[in-house]
Amino acid sequence: MSRPVGRVLTLLELLQSGGTRTVAELADRLGVDGRTVRRYVDQLIDLDVPVESVRGRYGGYRLAPGTALPPLMFGDDEALAVLLGLIAGRRAGLTPGDTASETAAAKIRRVLPARIARRLDTVLDSLAFTGEPGAFAAPDAEVLLALADAVRHRRPVSLRYADRKGRRGDRTLHAYGLVAHAGRWYVTGTDPEIEEDRTFRLDRIAAVRPLPGSFEVPDGLDPADRVLTGFAEAAYRYEVTLRIQGTVEQVRARLPVGIASLAECAPAEGAGEEGRADEPWLRAEVRAERLDWLPPLLASLDRPFVVERPDELLELVTALADRLASFARRT
């Protein structure tokens, strides 16, 4: 690469770092005079890089939005950050589209200098993931972008949605926010036709169509908290009610917002003397399709608790306690 071409690329990298750069600053960084800086800028413009001139005392040059993505210049750490982000996002199911993240990573990988490629290989060779690749379906990019636009501009949308049983239908939504949780994307809002709160998985949305009008978002609404609370309150096969002695922090360590709702309650009758009289009691409500995972989780709490319902859970807890006691006696 000749020195002028190298300096033009350096100029592009300086402009991509953001803000307005004065001619004097650019000339100093490139080791040329102001006239040469202007000639380099003209070369970038000839390559359809959207460089615009800023007039005034603090004027100079800056990058403007263009009709196409201009060439990007990355430093070593930036290139590694982008590639690792693409790899982690694809593994977690948080990158939209089926192949977009793979093709983007491949394009960057092909032009990496050897020294950066070796650093990336070193990281990947020593990196392990706890989840299986592609465990969750990725959302469609157009669906994600359309919903993000609806959230930002508060526009109602019509969704083509398939429920958990595969039944398809059209839903109207006032979208309040997008939430990424546990490898999936969700949109939460209100269905204005039935005036009920709704949360939808993006990978089950086939199409998004904007509707006329606008809406207001309730004050103080937290989309992430709304989604997690919805998980805890969703309709499942079992409705579990427990009384647990301990602080909110102690109980939340094993029963997070997405699993259980908590509220203060009176002490359980005949709860024994395991706990402390000055510690509060909390009522935990859990909805679940299965109960077998709850007894080990309650044991890990190491807090006094009482099962109010269902009776099947009480039987499972008792059976676990008997098994643990038999194992201890064997030892």
Side-chain angles (χ1 to χ4, degrees):
M1 181 182 294
S2 64
R3 290 181 61 83
V5 173
R7 286 172 178 156
V8 171
L9 293 177
T10 301
L11 171 62
L12 176 59
E13 185 175 9
L14 291 171
L15 294 175
Q16 285 178 343
S17 63
T20 300
R21 302 280 185 163
T22 65
V23 174
E25 178 188 1
L26 293 172
D28 180 65
R29 295 290 297 273
L30 297 172
V32 297
D33 57 27
R35 181 179 299 179
T36 304
V37 170
R38 295 184 182 91
R39 188 170 71 249
Y40 290 166
V41 169
D42 289 339
Q43 292 180 36
L44 289 177
I45 293 174
D46 289 340
L47 294 171
D48 292 329
V49 177
V51 182
E52 64 180 13
S53 175
V54 180
R55 299 184 180 277
R57 180 180 178 183
Y58 301 103
Y61 295 102
R62 67 186 178 193
L63 284 185
T67 57
L69 186 68
L72 296 175
M73 305 290 291
F74 292 120
D76 291 9
D77 292 341
E78 292 171 330
L80 287 174
V82 171
L83 283 169
L84 290 175
L86 288 170
I87 292 168
R90 185 170 71 246
R91 293 282 306 218
L94 297 179
T95 51
D98 295 330
T99 60
S101 61
E102 294 182 11
T103 56
K107 289 178 181 178
I108 299 175
R109 185 70 181 268
R110 279 197 298 269
V111 297
L112 282 181
R115 69 182 187 281
I116 307 177
R118 285 194 296 269
R119 294 179 65 189
L120 176 65
D121 289 337
T122 299
V123 174
L124 295 180
D125 288 343
S126 61
L127 183 63
F129 293 90
T130 57
E132 293 295 325
F136 300 106
D140 181 81
E142 289 301 319
V143 168
L144 178 63
L145 293 173
L147 287 172
D149 185 76
V151 170
R152 180 171 186 176
H153 299 288
R154 300 182 179 179
R155 295 193 183 110
V157 290
S158 175
L159 309 178
R160 187 66 177 169
Y161 188 76
D163 63 18
R164 67 176 69 179
K165 296 182 179 179
R167 296 172 299 195
R168 296 186 177 274
D170 293 326
R171 317 288 178 89
T172 301
L173 185 70
H174 290 173
Y176 297 153
L178 295 168
V179 178
H181 171 68
R184 296 194 190 279
W185 285 92
Y186 300 87
V187 60
T188 185
T190 295
D191 185 332
E193 296 180 354
I194 58 177
E195 296 184 351
E196 288 187 3
D197 297 340
R198 302 302 303 270
T199 295
F200 299 105
R201 273 174 40 184
L202 264 63
D203 59 292
R204 289 178 175 170
I205 299 175
V208 179
R209 179 169 56 88
L211 299 175
S214 62
F215 60 87
E216 293 296 324
V217 178
D219 293 336
L221 183 138
D222 183 342
D225 183 70
R226 201 169 188 267
V227 169
L228 292 175
T229 301
F231 291 156
E233 296 177 351
Y236 288 99
R237 180 181 177 186
Y238 294 102
E239 294 186 358
V240 177
T241 303
L242 307 157
R243 290 196 192 192
I244 306 172
Q245 187 175 26
T247 65
V248 172
E249 292 76 15
Q250 290 170 330
V251 177
R252 282 292 184 220
R254 292 291 184 270
L255 294 173
V257 175
I259 293 179
S261 60
L262 298 180
E264 292 186 6
C265 67
E269 296 181 6
E273 300 179 355
E274 298 88 349
R276 293 175 50 184
D278 59 344
E279 288 184 337
W281 281 82
L282 300 172
R283 173 174 279 108
E285 294 186 352
V286 180
R287 273 123 176 121
E289 285 295 316
R290 300 181 359 255
L291 297 175
D292 55 349
W293 58 276
L294 267 170
L297 185 145
L298 294 172
S300 70
L301 267 173
D302 195 25
R303 308 297 308 169
F305 69 89
V306 174
V307 177
E308 294 190 345
R309 64 172 180 168
D311 292 339
E312 296 97 318
L313 177 59
L314 182 58
E315 294 171 0
L316 290 173
V317 170
T318 302
L320 175 62
D322 291 342
R323 285 199 305 275
L324 293 176
S326 68
F327 295 158
R329 285 193 295 270
R330 234 178 267 169
T331 303

